Amino acid sequence: KAGVTQTPRYLIKTRGQQVTLSCSPISGHRSVSWYQQTPGQGLQFLFEYFSETQRNKGNFPGRFSGRQFSNSRSEMNVSTLELGDSALYLCASSAEALRALGSYEQYFGPGTRLTVT
Amino acid sequence: ELKVEQNPLFLSMQEGKNYTIYCNYSTTSDRLYWYRQDPGKSLESLFVLLSNGAVKQEGRLMASLDTKARLSTLHITAAVHDLSATYFCAVSAYSGAGSYQLTFGKGTKLSVIP
């Protein structure tokens, strides 16, 4: 079974621009979560999507948004980029079948390394 | 707000030695996860601990969970260089609307020296 895939893997943008990152979950997984990882703040939760609906959101400004499509693929968008948005953005998927067993384990993709200059 | 604290944050150990990484969390939860991250790579799931007293072992790593103490440990036995990586613990807690959010510790960067 293929793992979580993310595109692009690396991205360089300029302050003020916007960016869209893409994530394809493991086949059959309908929940997709996004995380931002920086050396200073560590891993921080951005949002979670399930069945095309955002069902949880972390403490990030409105410049960070996302969506999920009917095939469970997800995109996140960051508008008006700031230098502080430079980070590794990780996408993770999870299976409802595991939830039934009490596990909320998430499987992570390789990440998109975003550099804002 | 759920807080997850790991210690130590940095660990340098010699090959062949044993050591334990600690993960404390601030809310009642009986679901704890350990991940490994190699430099420049993503997170790899190591252990899923789903109940009080759960113990899991894989090779030289053993993880345990004490929900009463809100503590999980990751024990390294006879460390080898290949174990050098950053280890994260994460706790899942219900955050509404069917969502169980993972909150991560800061990570423990382990360096095993020959």
Side-chain angles (χ1 to χ4, degrees):
Chain A
K1 200 183 242 187
V4 178
T5 58
Q6 291 186 245
T7 56
R9 295 291 312 279
Y10 303 91
L11 207 49
I12 300 175
K13 289 286 189 179
T14 305
R15 268 182 302 177
Q17 288 186 314
Q18 75 164 20
V19 67
T20 299
L21 312 181
S22 181
C23 169
S24 292
I26 291 172
S27 178
H29 287 195
R30 292 163 60 196
S31 170
V32 173
S33 297
W34 289 89
Y35 295 84
Q36 181 195 65
Q37 185 177 26
T38 59
Q41 298 299 316
L43 278 151
Q44 293 186 286
F45 171 76
L46 279 158
F47 25 66
E48 180 194 1
Y49 286 87
F50 177 76
S51 290
E52 302 178 64
T53 301
Q54 185 184 88
R55 64 179 176 183
N56 196 7
K57 190 177 192 304
N59 291 327
F60 278 82
R63 300 184 297 107
F64 291 81
S65 63
R67 60 179 175 167
Q68 187 181 35
F69 302 94
S70 58
N71 61 358
S72 295
R73 189 177 69 86
S74 178
E75 289 181 347
M76 67 163 280
N77 183 277
V78 188
S79 62
T80 319
L81 284 166
E82 300 176 0
L83 294 178
D85 297 333
S86 295
L88 180 66
Y89 289 88
L90 292 163
C91 166
S93 72
S94 62
E96 293 305 294
L98 284 179
R99 285 176 168 240
L101 299 173
S103 172
Y104 308 102
E105 183 180 13
Q106 296 184 3
Y107 298 84
F108 285 80
T112 294
R113 172 77 61 187
L114 172 64
T115 301
V116 182
T117 62
Chain B
E1 181 191 344
L2 169 58
K3 292 190 188 307
V4 180
E5 292 186 357
Q6 281 181 243
N7 69 84
L9 297 183
F10 298 93
L11 176 57
S12 180
M13 58 190 298
Q14 285 188 310
E15 278 191 333
K17 298 292 188 184
N18 304 333
Y19 208 85
T20 300
I21 298 170
Y22 297 88
C23 174
N24 290 89
Y25 55 96
S26 64
T27 192
T28 54
S29 174
D30 56 3
R31 290 163 176 80
L32 190 134
Y33 311 84
W34 284 95
Y35 288 89
R36 167 181 171 148
Q37 186 177 38
D38 291 293
K41 301 290 180 68
S42 187
L43 277 72
E44 172 193 355
S45 179
L46 291 175
F47 300 108
V48 178
L49 303 170
L50 298 180
S51 61
N52 184 41
V55 177
K56 292 206 173 169
Q57 183 162 7
E58 179 74 32
R60 301 173 188 274
L61 300 177
M62 183 174 72
S64 65
L65 177 62
D66 181 345
T67 58
K68 291 184 174 59
R70 299 180 186 176
L71 170 69
S72 179
T73 60
L74 180 66
H75 187 72
I76 304 155
T77 301
V80 294
H81 181 69
D82 284 352
L83 291 179
S84 297
T86 299
Y87 293 84
F88 292 92
C89 65
V91 175
S92 61
Y94 187 65
S95 48
S99 177
Y100 285 83
Q101 179 176 325
L102 282 186
T103 300
F104 285 83
K106 292 284 189 188
T108 297
K109 185 173 182 180
L110 170 66
S111 298
V112 181
I113 303 164

